[in-house]
Amino acid sequence: MANHIVFLSLVALTLCHLAFAFEPSPLQDFCVADSTTSARVNGLACKNPMNVQEDDFFFSGLNIMGNTSNPVGSKVTPVTVAQLPGLNTLGISMVRIDYAPWGINPPHTHPRAAEILTVLEGSVQVGFVTSNPENRLISKVLQKGDVYVFPVGLVHFQRNVGYGNAVAIAALSSQNPGVITIANAVFGSNPPIAADLLAKAFQVETSLVDQLQSKF
Ligand SMILES: *[C@@H]1O[C@H](CO)[C@@H](O)[C@H](O)[C@H]1NC(C)=O
Protein backbone atom coordinates (compact mmCIF):
# COMPACT_ATOMS: atom_id res chain seq x y z
CA MET A 1 0.00 0.00 0.00
CA ALA A 2 2.77 2.44 1.04
CA ASN A 3 4.70 1.51 -2.11
CA HIS A 4 1.60 2.13 -4.15
CA ILE A 5 1.25 5.65 -2.73
CA VAL A 6 4.93 6.42 -3.31
CA PHE A 7 4.59 5.23 -6.90
CA LEU A 8 1.49 7.35 -7.51
CA SER A 9 3.21 10.36 -5.95
CA LEU A 10 6.15 9.86 -8.28
CA VAL A 11 3.83 9.63 -11.29
CA ALA A 12 2.04 12.83 -10.18
CA LEU A 13 5.38 14.61 -9.71
CA THR A 14 6.54 13.51 -13.15
CA LEU A 15 3.33 14.74 -14.77
CA CYS A 16 3.62 18.09 -12.95
CA HIS A 17 7.18 18.37 -14.17
CA LEU A 18 6.14 17.64 -17.77
CA ALA A 19 3.30 20.14 -17.57
CA PHE A 20 5.39 22.95 -16.10
CA ALA A 21 8.85 22.34 -17.55
CA PHE A 22 8.27 25.17 -20.06
CA GLU A 23 5.99 28.16 -20.24
CA PRO A 24 2.46 27.61 -18.99
CA SER A 25 -0.39 27.58 -21.49
CA PRO A 26 -2.34 30.85 -21.75
CA LEU A 27 -5.70 30.84 -19.96
CA GLN A 28 -7.13 33.59 -22.18
CA ASP A 29 -6.80 34.82 -25.78
CA PHE A 30 -3.87 37.06 -24.93
CA CYS A 31 -2.14 38.79 -22.04
CA VAL A 32 -0.38 41.79 -23.55
CA ALA A 33 2.45 42.83 -21.23
CA ASP A 34 1.62 45.90 -19.16
CA SER A 35 4.86 47.87 -18.83
CA THR A 36 3.29 50.38 -16.41
CA THR A 37 2.28 48.10 -13.53
CA SER A 38 4.55 47.24 -10.63
CA ALA A 39 2.81 43.87 -10.19
CA ARG A 40 5.31 41.00 -10.12
CA VAL A 41 4.23 37.72 -11.70
CA ASN A 42 6.03 34.91 -13.51
CA GLY A 43 6.20 36.78 -16.81
CA LEU A 44 4.49 40.17 -17.02
CA ALA A 45 1.09 41.34 -15.84
CA CYS A 46 -1.68 41.72 -18.46
CA LYS A 47 -2.82 45.01 -19.83
CA ASN A 48 -6.59 45.58 -19.61
CA PRO A 49 -7.87 43.82 -22.79
CA MET A 50 -10.08 46.87 -23.48
CA ASN A 51 -6.93 48.98 -23.89
CA VAL A 52 -5.11 46.55 -26.17
CA GLN A 53 -4.22 47.96 -29.60
CA GLU A 54 -3.09 46.37 -32.87
CA ASP A 55 0.46 47.67 -32.29
CA ASP A 56 0.72 45.59 -29.10
CA PHE A 57 1.09 42.56 -31.42
CA PHE A 58 3.45 44.27 -33.86
CA PHE A 59 7.18 44.81 -34.34
CA SER A 60 8.86 46.41 -37.31
CA GLY A 61 12.50 46.39 -38.32
CA LEU A 62 13.75 42.82 -38.79
CA ASN A 63 14.59 43.85 -42.37
CA ILE A 64 17.31 46.11 -40.92
CA MET A 65 20.82 44.68 -40.87
CA GLY A 66 22.47 44.59 -37.42
CA ASN A 67 25.79 46.34 -36.87
CA THR A 68 28.45 43.61 -36.84
CA SER A 69 31.38 45.98 -36.15
CA ASN A 70 32.32 44.38 -32.84
CA PRO A 71 34.97 41.87 -31.69
CA VAL A 72 32.85 38.79 -32.54
CA GLY A 73 31.53 40.07 -35.87
CA SER A 74 27.85 39.33 -35.31
CA LYS A 75 24.75 41.08 -34.05
CA VAL A 76 21.54 39.65 -32.63
CA THR A 77 18.38 41.76 -33.02
CA PRO A 78 15.82 40.35 -30.57
CA VAL A 79 12.03 40.36 -30.79
CA THR A 80 11.14 39.07 -27.34
CA VAL A 81 8.42 40.25 -24.97
CA ALA A 82 10.61 43.30 -24.23
CA GLN A 83 10.14 44.49 -27.85
CA LEU A 84 6.73 42.96 -28.56
CA PRO A 85 4.42 43.03 -25.50
CA GLY A 86 1.84 40.77 -27.20
CA LEU A 87 4.28 37.85 -26.81
CA ASN A 88 3.61 37.74 -23.06
CA THR A 89 2.47 34.20 -22.02
CA LEU A 90 2.70 32.84 -25.59
CA GLY A 91 6.00 30.96 -25.18
CA ILE A 92 7.59 32.16 -28.41
CA SER A 93 9.98 34.84 -29.68
CA MET A 94 12.24 35.57 -32.62
CA VAL A 95 15.67 37.00 -33.43
CA ARG A 96 17.54 38.18 -36.50
CA ILE A 97 21.25 37.39 -36.53
CA ASP A 98 23.72 39.18 -38.82
CA TYR A 99 27.23 37.87 -39.36
CA ALA A 100 30.18 39.67 -40.94
CA PRO A 101 32.46 37.36 -42.99
CA TRP A 102 33.94 34.89 -40.43
CA GLY A 103 31.88 36.52 -37.72
CA ILE A 104 30.71 34.24 -34.92
CA ASN A 105 27.79 34.09 -32.54
CA PRO A 106 29.90 32.84 -29.61
CA PRO A 107 29.05 29.70 -27.58
CA HIS A 108 25.97 30.44 -25.46
CA THR A 109 22.85 28.81 -24.08
CA HIS A 110 19.21 29.82 -23.66
CA PRO A 111 18.07 28.65 -20.23
CA ARG A 112 14.38 28.74 -21.19
CA ALA A 113 14.16 27.90 -24.91
CA ALA A 114 14.84 25.55 -27.76
CA GLU A 115 15.78 27.42 -30.95
CA ILE A 116 15.00 26.76 -34.61
CA LEU A 117 17.21 28.72 -37.00
CA THR A 118 16.96 29.26 -40.73
CA VAL A 119 19.67 30.78 -42.91
CA LEU A 120 18.34 33.54 -45.18
CA GLU A 121 21.67 34.51 -46.74
CA GLY A 122 25.17 33.06 -46.83
CA SER A 123 26.83 29.93 -45.42
CA VAL A 124 26.70 29.39 -41.68
CA GLN A 125 28.41 26.68 -39.65
CA VAL A 126 26.29 25.80 -36.64
CA GLY A 127 27.00 23.51 -33.72
CA PHE A 128 25.90 22.42 -30.28
CA VAL A 129 27.46 20.25 -27.59
CA THR A 130 25.61 17.52 -25.70
CA SER A 131 25.70 17.39 -21.90
CA ASN A 132 28.15 15.42 -19.72
CA PRO A 133 29.74 12.96 -19.93
CA GLU A 134 29.77 12.70 -23.75
CA ASN A 135 30.08 16.42 -24.59
CA ARG A 136 29.62 15.42 -28.23
CA LEU A 137 29.88 18.24 -30.76
CA ILE A 138 27.10 18.09 -33.36
CA SER A 139 27.86 20.52 -36.19
CA LYS A 140 26.93 21.25 -39.79
CA VAL A 141 27.41 23.89 -42.48
CA LEU A 142 24.08 25.43 -43.55
CA GLN A 143 23.23 27.19 -46.79
CA LYS A 144 20.45 29.58 -47.63
CA GLY A 145 17.10 27.99 -46.76
CA ASP A 146 18.56 25.38 -44.44
CA VAL A 147 17.04 24.94 -40.99
CA TYR A 148 18.66 23.70 -37.78
CA VAL A 149 17.43 23.16 -34.24
CA PHE A 150 19.35 23.77 -31.00
CA PRO A 151 17.81 21.71 -28.19
CA VAL A 152 16.82 23.64 -25.06
CA GLY A 153 19.65 24.47 -22.68
CA LEU A 154 22.52 23.14 -24.77
CA VAL A 155 25.58 25.26 -25.55
CA HIS A 156 25.57 26.28 -29.23
CA PHE A 157 27.24 28.67 -31.66
CA GLN A 158 27.28 29.83 -35.28
CA ARG A 159 30.01 31.07 -37.63
CA ASN A 160 29.79 32.69 -41.03
CA VAL A 161 31.95 30.51 -43.27
CA GLY A 162 30.99 32.17 -46.56
CA TYR A 163 32.52 35.07 -48.49
CA GLY A 164 29.88 37.75 -47.87
CA ASN A 165 27.61 38.70 -45.01
CA ALA A 166 25.27 36.07 -43.64
CA VAL A 167 21.79 36.46 -42.14
CA ALA A 168 19.66 34.07 -40.12
CA ILE A 169 16.26 34.24 -38.47
CA ALA A 170 15.57 32.09 -35.43
CA ALA A 171 12.47 31.33 -33.42
CA LEU A 172 12.70 30.44 -29.74
CA SER A 173 10.25 28.62 -27.49
CA SER A 174 10.02 31.33 -24.83
CA GLN A 175 8.78 34.92 -24.68
CA ASN A 176 12.02 35.58 -22.76
CA PRO A 177 14.57 32.88 -23.71
CA GLY A 178 17.51 34.43 -21.82
CA VAL A 179 21.08 34.21 -23.05
CA ILE A 180 24.10 32.97 -21.12
CA THR A 181 27.24 33.63 -23.15
CA ILE A 182 29.77 31.15 -21.79
CA ALA A 183 32.87 33.38 -21.93
CA ASN A 184 31.06 36.35 -20.40
CA ALA A 185 29.48 34.30 -17.63
CA VAL A 186 32.72 32.52 -16.70
CA PHE A 187 35.34 35.23 -17.28
CA GLY A 188 33.23 38.37 -17.14
CA SER A 189 31.04 37.91 -14.07
CA ASN A 190 30.57 40.84 -11.70
CA PRO A 191 32.21 40.49 -9.24
CA PRO A 192 34.73 38.14 -10.91
CA ILE A 193 35.01 34.46 -10.04
CA ALA A 194 38.33 33.90 -8.20
CA ALA A 195 41.13 33.51 -10.78
CA ASP A 196 42.73 30.58 -8.91
CA LEU A 197 39.37 28.78 -8.94
CA LEU A 198 39.07 29.23 -12.72
CA ALA A 199 42.74 28.27 -13.17
CA LYS A 200 41.99 24.95 -11.47
CA ALA A 201 38.70 24.49 -13.37
CA PHE A 202 40.37 25.09 -16.75
CA GLN A 203 43.70 23.48 -15.79
CA VAL A 204 45.74 26.53 -16.85
CA GLU A 205 48.00 29.14 -15.22
CA THR A 206 46.34 31.93 -13.23
CA SER A 207 48.01 34.49 -15.55
CA LEU A 208 45.99 33.11 -18.48
CA VAL A 209 42.78 33.47 -16.44
CA ASP A 210 43.79 37.07 -15.59
CA GLN A 211 44.20 37.74 -19.31
CA LEU A 212 40.78 36.25 -20.13
CA GLN A 213 39.12 38.14 -17.26
CA SER A 214 40.59 41.43 -18.52
CA LYS A 215 38.83 40.87 -21.88
CA PHE A 216 35.28 40.18 -20.63
C1 LIG B 1 28.61 50.21 -35.77
O1 LIG B 1 29.24 50.02 -34.51
C2 LIG B 1 30.52 50.63 -34.42
C3 LIG B 1 31.15 50.19 -33.11
O2 LIG B 1 30.29 50.44 -32.03
C4 LIG B 1 30.36 52.14 -34.54
O3 LIG B 1 31.62 52.76 -34.46
C5 LIG B 1 29.70 52.45 -35.88
O4 LIG B 1 29.44 53.85 -35.95
C6 LIG B 1 28.39 51.69 -36.03
N1 LIG B 1 27.89 51.85 -37.39
C7 LIG B 1 26.66 52.25 -37.64
C8 LIG B 1 26.29 52.35 -39.08
O5 LIG B 1 25.86 52.51 -36.75
Side-chain angles (χ1 to χ4, degrees):
M1 184 60 188
N3 276 346
H4 197 68
I5 289 167
V6 168
F7 175 75
L8 284 179
S9 305
L10 279 175
V11 168
L13 267 174
T14 309
L15 289 176
C16 278
H17 185 73
L18 286 177
F20 299 121
F22 299 101
E23 287 168 42
S25 305
L27 304 174
Q28 56 223 326
D29 281 356
F30 51 76
C31 168
V32 172
D34 181 351
S35 57
T36 63
T37 176
S38 59
R40 289 279 174 271
V41 295
N42 184 22
L44 295 156
C46 309
K47 212 170 160 173
N48 181 344
M50 299 302 286
N51 300 333
V52 163
Q53 305 291 331
E54 50 271 35
D55 280 357
D56 288 326
F57 303 93
F58 176 75
F59 175 91
S60 180
L62 273 201
N63 58 317
I64 298 167
M65 184 185 171
N67 184 346
T68 58
S69 299
N70 56 56
V72 294
S74 79
K75 178 70 180 177
V76 176
T77 306
V79 188
T80 67
V81 73
Q83 292 78 30
L84 206 174
L87 286 177
N88 194 39
T89 74
L90 297 186
I92 51 170
S93 58
M94 180 163 277
V95 296
R96 168 181 173 137
I97 314 166
D98 287 278
Y99 313 85
W102 294 99
I104 64 159
N105 187 6
H108 64 278
T109 165
H110 304 291
R112 293 177 288 277
E115 173 174 349
I116 182 166
L117 175 145
T118 183
V119 174
L120 300 184
E121 213 55 73
S123 303
V124 178
Q125 180 194 15
V126 298
F128 67 84
V129 179
T130 69
S131 57
N132 297 349
E134 292 82 8
N135 299 132
R136 177 179 167 203
L137 171 64
I138 296 180
S139 180
K140 189 170 173 70
V141 173
L142 308 182
Q143 310 298 341
K144 184 173 180 168
D146 291 350
V147 178
Y148 215 72
V149 63
F150 304 111
V152 58
L154 298 188
V155 173
H156 59 283
F157 59 83
Q158 300 108 35
R159 171 162 66 169
N160 180 358
V161 292
Y163 291 99
N165 292 327
V167 187
I169 292 270
L172 296 114
S173 60
S174 168
Q175 66 177 37
N176 179 25
V179 186
I180 299 169
T181 303
I182 305 308
N184 300 56
V186 174
F187 297 110
S189 69
N190 183 21
I193 299 175
D196 64 318
L197 185 158
L198 291 178
K200 191 171 277 185
F202 286 82
Q203 300 283 291
V204 295
E205 298 298 322
T206 308
S207 58
L208 180 53
V209 172
D210 292 338
Q211 196 188 330
L212 286 162
Q213 286 183 323
S214 72
K215 290 215 192 319
F216 290 98

